[in-house]
Amino acid sequence: MTSRLEKFVDPLSVPEFLQLREQEDTNFYYEITMEEFYQKLHRDLPPTRLWGYNGQFPGPIIEAYEGENIRILWQNNLPDEHFLPVDKTILHHENMPEVRTVVHLHGSETEPESDGYPDAWFTKHFQEVGPAFKKKIYDYANKQRGATLWYHDHASGITRLNVYAGLVGMYILRGQEEKRLNLPRGAYEIPLIVTDRTFNEDGSLFYPNQPNNPSANLPNPSVVPAFLGDTILVNGKVWPYFEVEPRKYRFRLLNASNTRAYQFYFDNGAPMIQIGTDGGLLQNPVRLDVLSLEPAERADLIIDFSQFTGQTITLKNDLGPNANPDNETDEIMQFRVTKPISSPDKTKIPRILSRIPRSSPFDVSKIRTMKLTAQTDEFGRPILLLNNKKWSDPVTEFPRLNATEIWSLMNLTAFAHPIHIHLVQFQILDRRPFDLNRYNQTGEIQFTGPAVPPLANERGWKDTVMAPAGQITRIIMRFAPYDGDYVWHCHILEHEDYEMMRPYKVTLPRSHDN
């Protein structure tokens, strides 16, 4: 591992916005290439070998507008061999090409053929394709409310490595509701893509070949149950600083880390005003002192620097009372309120941002209990499952098109999981604790407290939800606008890659009874 890197010596980079290519028809068309390249991530690090979209990490920002169709050709131009340790024993991948990719637009209501189904992978120039591969050019209809989405690799069994190598980017969908709001924009609207990595002395990425204390018969390389990097990056820069004016800024914050959850706060106690969640604007702004984000969750924030002229403010990460004092991931980045104000700040944070109708339980056609469980494999490694099923087991959930369902996510493991469901935006109903030990011994659910409604900043549309250990987290959603094959999974990528992902199929009415 590399020696300690000095913090706050590199300015924050803002990914470039992708330039549209307009076709003769009404669609907008992009070609985006996955490439290997070297990029300097810190002043004192040699350039790092990475994989990224259009040769950059993070990838370019795709800006789209509500109701405007976009078509993208995702082109794999990567080497034939991976530079990170590939475990070929999981999910029967010994017969698959070592490097394979497929892109998922996370949070998008997308047709199944364009959703980035894990087995729809493809290799360089589409020479080999997976069993679920349907088309080369993906269609994104963008017929949903504006939101901060993101795109990333989703190839089965190898997502953790492809994302860690750099295959991530932000997709900003501009909505109709935003137009009437006087929010910060232009140079005052900034994406913040937070990742954690570990580096070797030569600047290369470190990712473990095996878990700690591996058994003698463990495969090498072997999948690991989780991975936390020891270095924080924002927009591809290690612990950067950002010079700001004393005015309001809008930050679109994304946790794009493999495993790490964050507890963000400012060292001077400055408040964060959250105006949006995964699925777009909240109904009302929410003032926060601490913001929790699990992997894949997003938060749309307004930060007002007007009272801090000349000050330096650090965005921190609360590691908890038992944190190792040598752990440097308690800091994220620095804001320096040193730029002169260029024009009067006339932006406003309205009391009402949007209207979010609450989903009604009276419309529910089915309630499902979905169990998050743990076992060990033949090598003694933990294997996390959904409903005790593996990825390759037959589909067991067939929600009907346009039907509304409640899923009760029952976490029987010892730690929280961020659960992501493709195709839909959902609402959190509540979380309720139960006696986990009693359940594991007797199979009886004994609640240990009342159902707790979601936090104020969770009361919007979501596509990823934190399901705490020993609790039942209930969510409600409508399966629309497409029928077909989709997936749901834990967004801890090491879990997703090793069985904590399941297919589900949206069916036409009355075609299934499940």
Side-chain angles (χ1 to χ4, degrees):
M1 263 45 78
T2 187
S3 53
R4 294 196 174 199
L5 296 169
E6 188 174 348
K7 295 180 178 179
F8 317 129
V9 298
D10 289 297
L12 178 76
S13 297
V14 177
E16 67 179 37
F17 279 73
L18 200 63
Q19 296 302 306
L20 281 166
R21 291 175 51 182
E22 192 168 1
Q23 302 288 74
E24 292 180 359
D25 60 18
T26 57
N27 296 324
F28 290 94
Y29 174 73
Y30 296 106
E31 291 181 7
I32 298 178
T33 303
M34 293 164 260
E35 305 168 10
E36 180 172 289
F37 57 97
Y38 285 78
Q39 184 172 315
K40 198 164 176 62
L41 306 180
H42 184 273
R43 180 194 67 186
D44 300 328
L45 272 181
T48 300
R49 182 187 192 183
L50 297 165
W51 290 357
Y53 299 104
N54 283 2
Q56 56 188 289
F57 166 64
I61 297 171
I62 302 172
E63 187 178 36
Y65 291 85
E66 187 178 339
E68 182 180 87
N69 193 76
I70 279 180
R71 303 168 70 234
I72 299 181
L73 171 64
W74 301 99
Q75 185 72 260
N76 180 341
N77 196 29
L78 295 167
D80 295 329
E81 295 184 0
H82 217 296
F83 68 93
L84 295 173
V86 176
D87 183 348
K88 295 185 178 180
T89 68
I90 62 174
L91 304 187
H92 309 294
H93 283 166
E94 64 275 6
N95 298 319
M96 293 189 189
E98 183 168 295
V99 174
R100 53 193 183 272
T101 60
V102 64
V103 182
H104 171 54
L105 179 52
H106 184 120
S108 174
E109 298 174 4
T110 303
E111 62 170 14
E113 298 84 1
S114 301
D115 186 57
Y117 196 82
D119 284 339
W121 52 262
F122 53 94
T123 64
K124 183 187 292 186
H125 306 316
F126 302 98
Q127 290 172 351
E128 294 183 73
V129 299
F133 181 87
K134 295 288 199 315
K135 60 194 295 189
K136 293 181 179 180
I137 298 175
Y138 278 16
D139 286 275
Y140 302 111
N142 296 313
K143 291 180 179 178
Q144 62 189 96
R145 68 200 305 260
T148 303
L149 311 179
W150 65 299
Y151 60 97
H152 61 83
D153 190 74
H154 210 276
S156 60
I158 204 169
T159 296
R160 70 196 184 284
L161 303 179
N162 289 350
V163 168
Y164 192 78
L167 290 170
V168 299
M170 188 174 283
Y171 185 108
I172 296 175
L173 179 57
R174 304 276 182 198
Q176 298 298 323
E177 288 181 312
E178 267 186 70
K179 290 183 178 179
R180 63 179 177 79
L181 302 177
N182 185 18
L183 299 171
R185 56 175 57 96
Y188 309 108
E189 181 187 18
I190 307 294
L192 298 176
I193 301 171
V194 181
T195 55
D196 60 339
R197 300 289 187 267
T198 296
F199 298 97
N200 298 308
E201 286 288 349
D202 64 358
S204 61
L205 290 175
F206 168 82
Y207 191 90
N209 280 300
Q210 291 184 309
N212 295 329
N213 304 312
S215 60
N217 65 337
L218 197 66
N220 189 9
S222 166
V223 67
V224 297
F227 179 72
L228 300 174
D230 61 13
T231 305
I232 302 298
L233 295 84
V234 185
N235 293 354
K237 284 292 185 182
V238 171
W239 286 303
Y241 68 86
F242 185 47
E243 292 185 280
V244 298
E245 299 177 22
R247 65 188 300 148
K248 292 187 288 296
Y249 281 72
R250 180 181 184 180
F251 295 103
R252 293 177 180 263
L253 182 61
L254 158 66
N255 178 1
S257 300
N258 280 29
T259 295
R260 184 181 295 279
Y262 296 89
Q263 305 283 328
F264 297 105
Y265 70 99
F266 284 112
D267 64 346
N268 70 341
M272 295 175 259
I273 307 300
Q274 185 168 348
I275 62 169
T277 52
D278 306 339
L281 293 171
L282 287 160
Q283 186 157 303
N284 309 104
V286 178
R287 179 188 169 110
L288 299 171
D289 295 317
V290 179
L291 167 67
S292 300
L293 279 190
E294 292 285 322
E297 287 189 302
R298 287 89 69 207
D300 201 342
L301 303 173
I302 303 291
I303 309 298
D304 189 348
F305 296 104
S306 61
Q307 304 302 311
F308 307 121
T309 302
Q311 296 184 33
T312 295
I313 304 166
T314 302
L315 181 63
K316 305 270 286 183
N317 176 29
D318 187 354
L319 300 177
N322 301 317
N324 185 330
D326 292 329
N327 190 336
E328 294 195 273
T329 62
D330 63 335
E331 293 179 305
I332 306 297
M333 65 177 293
Q334 212 173 62
F335 294 90
R336 300 175 183 175
V337 194
T338 52
K339 295 180 74 172
I341 194 155
S342 58
S343 60
D345 182 6
K346 297 181 179 179
T347 61
K348 304 285 186 187
I349 305 174
R351 188 176 62 85
I352 298 175
L353 293 159
S354 71
R355 180 178 175 271
I356 299 181
R358 301 306 295 173
S359 298
S360 171
F362 296 108
D363 297 330
V364 171
S365 61
K366 196 168 188 68
I367 298 174
R368 302 180 192 266
T369 298
M370 314 295 261
K371 295 178 181 178
L372 285 51
T373 60
Q375 299 177 8
T376 55
D377 67 11
E378 66 269 30
F379 302 109
R381 298 178 297 190
I383 178 170
L384 285 305
L385 300 172
L386 300 171
N387 287 331
N388 288 312
K389 302 284 187 184
K390 294 186 175 181
W391 167 242
S392 59
D393 288 333
V395 176
T396 50
E397 284 74 42
F398 297 89
R400 291 175 180 167
L401 182 64
N402 296 317
T404 298
E405 296 191 358
I406 290 175
W407 286 17
S408 297
L409 305 172
M410 186 178 186
N411 189 349
L412 303 176
T413 76
F415 39 83
H417 296 272
I419 299 298
H420 172 48
I421 304 173
H422 287 217
L423 174 66
V424 298
Q425 294 284 340
F426 52 75
Q427 291 178 2
I428 304 171
L429 293 175
D430 51 42
R431 297 181 178 94
R432 192 172 187 185
F434 64 95
D435 188 328
L436 182 55
N437 290 331
R438 185 185 183 98
Y439 181 86
N440 287 334
Q441 290 170 6
T442 68
E444 176 191 356
I445 299 175
Q446 183 176 57
F447 291 111
T448 57
V452 178
L455 298 172
N457 67 321
E458 292 182 307
R459 294 176 189 173
W461 293 103
K462 297 277 291 169
D463 56 54
T464 306
V465 62
M466 189 268 284
Q471 295 190 34
I472 294 176
T473 301
R474 295 195 310 145
I475 58 176
I476 186 170
M477 60 210 145
R478 181 171 172 262
F479 290 89
Y482 302 103
D483 64 299
D485 295 309
Y486 293 93
V487 300
W488 67 290
H489 58 87
C490 175
H491 220 285
I492 293 174
L493 300 185
E494 285 73 15
H495 296 176
E496 169 188 339
D497 270 350
Y498 193 30
E499 301 293 5
M500 203 170 188
M501 179 164 61
R502 287 286 295 147
Y504 78 90
K505 188 178 187 72
V506 180
T507 63
L508 295 175
R510 292 182 298 280
S511 63
H512 269 280
D513 292 327
N514 289 40

